[in-house]
Amino acid sequence: MNLESLAQRVDEAAENAKPIKQLSHRNAFDLDQAYEIQRLAIQRRIDRGEQLIGLKMGFTSVAKMEQMGVHDMIWGRLTDSMLIENGGKAALSKYIHPRAEPEICFRISKDIDGEIDLKDLDEYVDGIASAVEIIDSRFENFKFSLEDVVADNCSSIGVVVGDWKTPSREISNLKMIQSFDAEIVAEGSTQAILGDPWKSLQAATRLAAKYNEPIKAGHIIMAGASTAAIFLKADSEVHVSVEKLGDVRFEVI
Ligand code: 0L1
Ligand code: MG
């Protein structure tokens, strides 16, 4: 099986905003091969001039892991083309079937080249912010196997990050609210992110080390969602508010 050609398929689907059939329908590949397809697909973006800006964690709630029949989180790579400024615009025409989910984001202050203990993570973080992730599976009907979604960079397509706040260890039970045009569409707590978003950051250091992906000073780590992701609506404003961390918003056009 040619992993590069599978990487090309997911990359072109994202680039052209055209859904494709699940890769696993006609190809058997395991989780490590799925991460290699992801790496190759992101390399194609880097070859086009994009820069790696960090990582995202997925399936960070126990409920979601159980639903998918897995016992570990998944992770994907973020590039600068996925960043939307706080208060900026997201054009629906660039996506297939985008959804938004409220998240917490960490900013890394010094290079990480191995797994870091939970208790030592403060040394590596200089900011925490409220955030929204836009996910947009490249697969028809948003349906995929675990290997498919990993190969597809865990559905990443957009991130909006709020104002950076001084890191606190006390973020394990913060209320998170996502609204569309001031109507609440999802509500949760940071508790749903592995019981504490810092644990998600710890898992990011473990998984990045396992797959030889260095985390650099200045990178951002999206810790995962606390609620279900909601389909974006044309001509609306998406607003996420996280207790203590503040607001983040963008306009859907
Ligand atoms: O939490 C996540 O960002 C997981 C994304 C991958 C699964 C999905 O598309 O729902
Ligand atoms: Mg997410």
Side-chain angles (χ1 to χ4, degrees):
M1 187 189 9
N2 184 339
L3 300 186
E4 181 66 58
S5 76
L6 298 182
Q8 182 178 350
R9 255 194 254 172
V10 280
D11 177 51
E12 287 180 353
E15 183 78 349
N16 302 325
K18 288 269 176 339
I20 54 173
K21 296 210 176 309
Q22 292 175 46
L23 301 180
S24 60
H25 270 173
R26 286 174 169 270
N27 307 275
F29 54 96
D30 63 21
L31 194 57
D32 285 343
Q33 288 172 311
Y35 275 110
E36 181 58 8
I37 296 168
Q38 180 193 123
R39 191 189 67 76
L40 291 166
I42 295 296
Q43 187 58 48
R44 294 172 61 88
R45 284 177 174 262
I46 291 168
D47 293 344
R48 291 197 292 270
E50 294 181 28
Q51 310 254 351
L52 204 62
I53 58 161
L55 306 178
K56 66 158 277 186
M57 300 301 288
F59 297 170
T60 43
S61 83
V62 174
K64 188 104 178 219
M65 275 188 247
E66 278 172 1
Q67 187 190 358
M68 293 302 293
V70 297
H71 57 271
D72 205 355
M73 286 128 280
I74 56 175
W75 65 279
R77 295 163 165 95
L78 301 172
T79 71
D80 57 349
S81 77
M82 300 174 191
L83 258 187
I84 297 166
E85 69 175 322
N86 188 8
K89 295 182 194 325
L92 276 184
S93 58
K94 282 176 44 187
Y95 310 125
I96 301 169
H97 36 208
R99 302 180 190 195
E101 54 189 22
E103 299 217 10
I104 298 279
C105 188
F106 292 94
R107 187 175 60 191
I108 301 302
S109 56
K110 65 179 184 191
D111 293 355
I112 297 177
D113 52 13
E115 179 174 359
I116 308 293
D117 271 4
L118 189 58
K119 65 175 173 33
D120 298 329
L121 281 172
D122 310 63
E123 288 172 43
Y124 296 86
V125 174
D126 66 5
I128 302 185
S130 50
V132 195
E133 180 179 21
I134 305 174
I135 54 174
D136 192 28
S137 174
R138 265 52 71 167
F139 302 119
E140 289 170 349
N141 305 316
F142 233 108
K143 292 239 166 356
F144 41 72
S145 67
L146 175 67
E147 291 77 15
D148 281 322
V149 70
V150 166
D152 184 30
N153 199 30
C154 304
S155 308
S156 293
I157 198 70
V159 285
V160 193
V161 181
D163 292 341
W164 293 107
K165 300 282 191 295
T166 305
S168 156
R169 290 305 285 228
E170 306 304 317
I171 57 165
S172 64
N173 194 11
L174 305 182
K175 194 171 166 84
M176 303 177 87
I177 298 176
Q178 179 165 271
S179 311
F180 287 2
D181 286 335
E183 182 193 337
I184 296 179
V185 292
E187 245 178 308
S189 158
T190 51
Q191 184 75 38
I193 306 168
L194 295 182
D196 179 357
W198 284 95
K199 290 188 182 161
S200 178
L201 178 60
Q202 198 288 324
T205 70
R206 171 173 57 80
L207 290 165
K210 175 173 175 192
Y211 289 97
N212 295 314
E213 182 65 44
I215 298 175
K216 301 278 190 201
H219 276 183
I220 61 171
I221 308 290
M222 294 284 282
S226 63
T227 72
I230 311 288
F231 281 114
L232 295 186
K233 277 195 336 206
D235 302 320
S236 62
E237 188 195 59
V238 176
H239 171 230
V240 161
S241 169
V242 183
E243 192 184 342
K244 288 189 185 168
L245 297 181
D247 297 348
V248 55
R249 62 185 83 232
F250 65 96
E251 200 186 328
V252 184
I253 56 170

